[in-house]
Amino acid sequence: MEIREITPNFKMSITISNQQSSMTLNSDIAFVEGDKLYVMPFEHNGVILNFNSGAVAISMIAYEEEKTPYLWKIVHINREFIDGVTYHVITSEVSGVKINRRENFRVFIGIDGKATILGKEVPFDVLIKDISESGFAILLDANSEVKINKNEAVMIDFYDKGLDERFNLTGRVVRAEVTEKNILYGCRLLKDSPLVRKYIANKQLEHRVNTSKKGK
């Protein structure tokens, strides 16, 4: 997919990365002109960001609701001032490729937590297997008396000691896979959360740091 094919109906986000960390930012698409995507300015603490640095790499995801997202692995961002309005202008020398959004952002968690089926209010033990921007997966002991049905809403609560963060997330069950020891439930988040995107980026960084330490 080319940038010129994007319309204002799309949603988009960028991920800014360097050797130490990464962060994801969202913006609203204003319009497309040729091979340039004009979006409302990315800000941090009320200040419009400047992307004129060779020390970071920037990628972009754009997608329509309920459709497969496209990833541009490398984009460039400049600022333009048109008719009294400031825009960030995104260009790329590469085409966007289709991605499985969940697979692309899924990170392993492996933390014990509590889950509650909404409407039943009785918490039970689960293992938080992984989290993505769009959902999460939990493991329930196959011998548990708890049964979760497809389309039921489940709230999970867990504490990540390594990052000192506690999360309460709610998702709707979209799949179940039974194994000898566990039942895996895949859930789609009921709403987008910037905190989840930040947590995923920090978790990816934590994994990279731990892997680097093991290699020494």
Side-chain angles (χ1 to χ4, degrees):
M1 186 178 193
E2 305 301 329
I3 282 181
R4 60 178 174 272
E5 299 177 70
I6 297 175
T7 71
N9 292 327
F10 278 65
K11 293 185 177 181
M12 64 80 61
S13 65
I14 60 170
T15 298
I16 310 160
S17 308
N18 58 26
Q19 293 183 343
Q20 286 75 41
S21 63
S22 65
M23 66 183 297
T24 299
L25 299 171
N26 300 311
S27 184
D28 294 322
I29 295 173
F31 59 92
V32 178
E33 187 175 278
D35 291 322
K36 294 182 178 180
L37 175 64
Y38 289 76
V39 303
M40 302 313 296
F42 297 102
E43 297 184 356
H44 182 66
N45 294 331
V47 177
I48 296 177
L49 296 180
N50 185 344
F51 297 98
N52 295 328
S53 171
V56 298
I58 308 173
S59 62
M60 178 180 76
I61 284 178
Y63 63 96
E64 293 181 279
E65 289 287 356
E66 305 301 326
K67 293 187 178 181
T68 303
Y70 286 83
L71 168 68
W72 282 259
K73 292 185 178 181
I74 301 175
V75 297
H76 309 284
I77 304 179
N78 295 302
R79 192 188 306 185
E80 286 192 21
F81 193 67
I82 302 174
D83 296 330
V85 180
T86 298
Y87 299 97
H88 269 132
V89 185
I90 302 174
T91 59
S92 181
E93 297 173 0
V94 301
S95 300
V97 295
K98 284 185 177 182
I99 61 170
N100 180 322
R101 193 175 185 213
R102 176 170 169 77
E103 290 297 331
N104 187 67
F105 289 98
R106 182 167 58 185
V107 291
F108 175 75
I109 305 299
I111 295 175
D112 291 326
K114 293 288 186 179
T116 307
I117 301 172
L118 296 193
K120 297 184 179 180
E121 311 307 329
V122 179
F124 49 91
D125 295 329
V126 294
L127 178 74
I128 314 301
K129 181 178 180 290
D130 58 60
I131 289 180
S132 75
E133 287 192 48
S134 59
F136 56 84
I138 57 176
L139 290 174
L140 179 67
D141 191 300
N143 296 318
S144 172
E145 296 181 357
V146 177
K147 303 300 178 185
I148 309 175
N149 299 315
K150 190 174 180 180
N151 293 322
E152 282 192 304
V154 176
M155 182 180 72
I156 58 171
D157 177 273
F158 68 95
Y159 174 66
D160 189 322
K161 184 177 180 180
L163 296 179
D164 191 23
E165 291 190 64
R166 177 170 291 280
F167 274 89
N168 295 97
L169 302 172
T170 303
R172 192 170 301 281
V173 177
V174 295
R175 66 188 175 97
E177 298 177 8
V178 181
T179 66
E180 184 178 346
K181 296 182 178 180
N182 300 293
I183 304 175
L184 182 148
Y185 292 98
C187 305
R188 182 172 295 278
L189 288 172
L190 295 186
K191 62 179 180 179
D192 290 337
S193 171
L195 293 178
V196 170
R197 286 190 287 272
K198 180 181 177 182
Y199 176 65
I200 290 171
N202 289 336
K203 201 66 181 173
Q204 288 174 322
L205 176 60
E206 181 187 59
H207 289 334
R208 287 197 294 270
V209 170
N210 291 337
T211 299
S212 177
K213 288 180 178 178
K214 290 179 181 179
K216 292 182 179 180

